[in-house]
Amino acid sequence: MRSAVVTGASTGIGRACALLLHSKGWMVFAGVRRAEDGDALRQAASDRLHPLPLDVTAPEQIRAAAARVAAAVGQSGLDALVNNAGIAVAGPLEFVPPAELARQLEVNVIGQVAVTQPFIPLLRQARGRIVNMGSVSGLVSLPFMGPYSASKFALEAITDALRLELTPWGIGVIIVEPGTIATPIWDKSGAAADLLAAAYPPEAQTLYGGTFAALRERVVAAGKRGLPPERVAAVVLEALTAERPRTRYVVAPAAPPCA
Ligand SMILES: NC(=O)c1ccc[n+]([C@@H]2O[C@H](COP(=O)([O-])OP(=O)(O)OC[C@H]3O[C@@H](n4cnc5c(N)ncnc54)[C@H](OP(=O)(O)O)[C@@H]3O)[C@@H](O)[C@H]2O)c1
């Protein structure tokens, strides 16, 4: 039986990945921050799906998660690590508090590496694969998405370096780059951006308020019309099982044909 760890599996893309891998017969360790999210996943699956308490910014939880997975998989090692957990911090860079920028990078960049490190020996045993959840925001940066884009650009760099470093052991390192996917991240990040904006000095509203509000509305509306998370999960499965996986996969609607 193949085994996978999926971080950020409570909702959205991570949940879809955990359930798809489970449905294909994998043993899945689904990273969650709340016990009730683990229970809900378990109910949607079977006892082959193991909820794993895992905040990617909590070193103790990371250590405990790796130890638990190591004990469960034994000499077979781990076939897949899907680094999916993520948040989106949005706002004008002139006013985004540095602590928020740090939080963005802590979760989406440092957390991914911190989780990956203790799982590498298990992946080495199985000649497994790592899939990092990037974004098209890691290829093109949009206004007010600076913190998020910075994190996803960084993840591109980390993915490429890690791939080269782990080549001697046959560990594939792949980045999946979704476009707009309909998940709770849009409402969460919109609400978080509003909270942040409420604490900005008055000139922030004068300088950026109009454009930020217009863009926020468009982005959140586009999020609701996005592709279903299952589309990304299908690509993650392909990245994990293809004989010769690509190094990066964009997941976005096909462009209309040129006139
Ligand atoms: N939706 C899109 O359009 C889109 C496009 C490109 C890339 N992505 C990427 O896809 C990934 C999943 O996002 P999503 O759209 O599926 O959003 P989502 O439904 O909000 O899922 C995010 C997941 O990350 C978890 N998470 C947040 N902070 C965490 C932390 N410190 N430690 C562990 N888990 C944490 C969340 O857990 P809680 O429920 O506990 O908060 C949740 O399970 C992210 O990396 C995101 O950047 C999304």
Side-chain angles (χ1 to χ4, degrees):
M1 192 192 309
R2 294 210 218 181
S3 56
V5 170
V6 181
T7 68
S10 65
T11 55
I13 294 170
R15 185 174 202 276
C17 289
L19 293 179
L20 179 63
L21 291 172
H22 169 269
S23 77
K24 298 291 178 188
W26 292 54
M27 172 165 40
V28 177
F29 299 89
V32 290
R33 294 195 292 177
R34 287 173 299 270
E36 57 267 32
D37 291 329
D39 295 343
L41 269 167
R42 188 66 178 256
Q43 272 174 23
S46 74
D47 59 7
R48 250 187 308 106
L49 187 147
H50 306 272
L52 196 62
L54 184 53
D55 183 321
V56 301
T57 64
E60 267 311 313
Q61 284 192 19
I62 295 172
R63 263 193 293 278
R68 195 173 140 201
V69 172
V73 298
Q75 288 309 306
S76 308
L78 179 67
D79 294 292
L81 170 62
V82 181
N83 283 314
N84 164 78
I87 58 169
V89 173
L93 285 168
E94 184 176 350
F95 293 102
V96 168
E100 278 299 297
L101 187 53
R103 189 172 72 91
Q104 174 71 89
L105 298 177
E106 188 67 31
V107 175
N108 286 19
V109 184
I110 316 291
Q112 314 304 310
V113 179
V115 167
T116 301
Q117 286 173 343
F119 284 105
I120 288 175
L122 298 179
L123 290 160
R124 198 175 271 126
Q125 274 174 269
R127 289 175 73 87
R129 291 183 190 172
I130 298 169
V131 170
N132 288 335
M133 197 54 67
S135 169
V136 292
S137 295
L139 307 174
V140 181
S141 193
L142 292 177
F144 309 122
M145 294 298 287
Y148 182 67
S149 270
S151 75
K152 295 298 185 181
F153 270 74
L155 197 58
E156 293 280 338
I158 280 167
T159 304
D160 286 341
L162 197 58
R163 179 183 316 109
L164 295 169
E165 290 171 12
L166 298 182
T167 297
W169 299 282
I171 301 174
V173 186
I174 298 140
I175 189 157
V176 171
E177 300 158 335
T180 304
I181 310 298
T183 73
I185 203 170
W186 300 99
D187 285 333
K188 288 187 211 169
S189 56
D194 290 344
L195 262 183
L196 275 187
Y200 291 159
E203 66 264 32
Q205 177 61 24
T206 314
L207 292 166
Y208 295 106
T211 30
F212 182 59
L215 202 84
R216 180 201 185 288
E217 200 175 308
R218 285 183 61 174
V219 164
V220 172
K224 295 199 190 312
R225 297 191 306 268
L227 293 174
E230 289 73 19
R231 283 280 291 274
V232 185
V235 172
V236 169
L237 181 66
E238 164 75 12
L240 292 177
T241 54
E243 200 175 321
R244 293 173 66 84
R246 306 209 312 246
T247 53
R248 32 186 42 81
Y249 293 82
V250 172
V251 189
C258 295

